[in-house]
Amino acid sequence: MKVGIILGSNELSRVAYAAMHSAIAVSLDNEVVLFATMDGVKAFLKTPDLRVTDDTSKVIKESREDVFQHFRRAKKSGKLKILACSYASKVHKLDKESYSELVDDIVGITSFSMEVEGGQLVSVW
């Protein structure tokens, strides 16, 4: 099955949830496509811009957990694709070189929708 995850936030707790959901879905032999949009693209910069405003994010930050380890592990399986939204990239003046190696491509919502058509969608805002 295909799983599409839309990540629209750079809040640490939400990025951590998207990372764990990606890793679990891949471990269950699903193909996962994560679409980072709006502030979510900031999480995938070479130097991630992560907000810490909620209690869960504060706890994660204090624990020094590397939430990106879940994305890296899932990417090694070959079943996770991470896409940055072209509109959000334009708004934030970002290009492919702005993003970490985790980002596979910059695409529009139509491309993402076609990629996960018929699959399960999870939205993380």
Side-chain angles (χ1 to χ4, degrees), residues 13-14 28 30 34 46-47 49 65 70 75 81 89 95 111 121:
S13 61
R14 290 171 175 88
L28 295 172
N30 295 300
L34 185 138
K46 286 183 178 170
T47 302
D49 178 6
E65 177 185 350
H70 305 294
K75 294 276 293 180
K81 187 182 292 186
S89 296
D95 58 16
S111 296
L121 282 179

Side-chain angles (χ1 to χ4, degrees), residues 22-64:
S22 296
I24 290 167
V26 162
S27 74
L28 295 172
D29 206 30
N30 295 300
E31 291 181 44
V32 178
V33 181
L34 185 138
F35 185 68
T37 188
M38 301 310 172
D39 284 345
V41 296
K42 296 177 183 178
F44 293 98
L45 297 174
K46 286 183 178 170
T47 302
D49 178 6
L50 299 171
R51 288 185 318 124
V52 178
T53 59
D54 66 23
D55 290 340
T56 303
S57 292
K58 290 174 186 169
V59 170
I60 293 169
K61 184 175 181 172
E62 288 171 7
S63 74
R64 299 180 187 254

Side-chain angles (χ1 to χ4, degrees), residues 85-99:
C85 173
S86 58
Y87 176 76
S89 296
K90 182 179 176 182
V91 167
H92 295 294
K93 297 179 175 69
L94 303 170
D95 58 16
K96 183 73 167 106
E97 290 74 40
S98 304
Y99 292 110

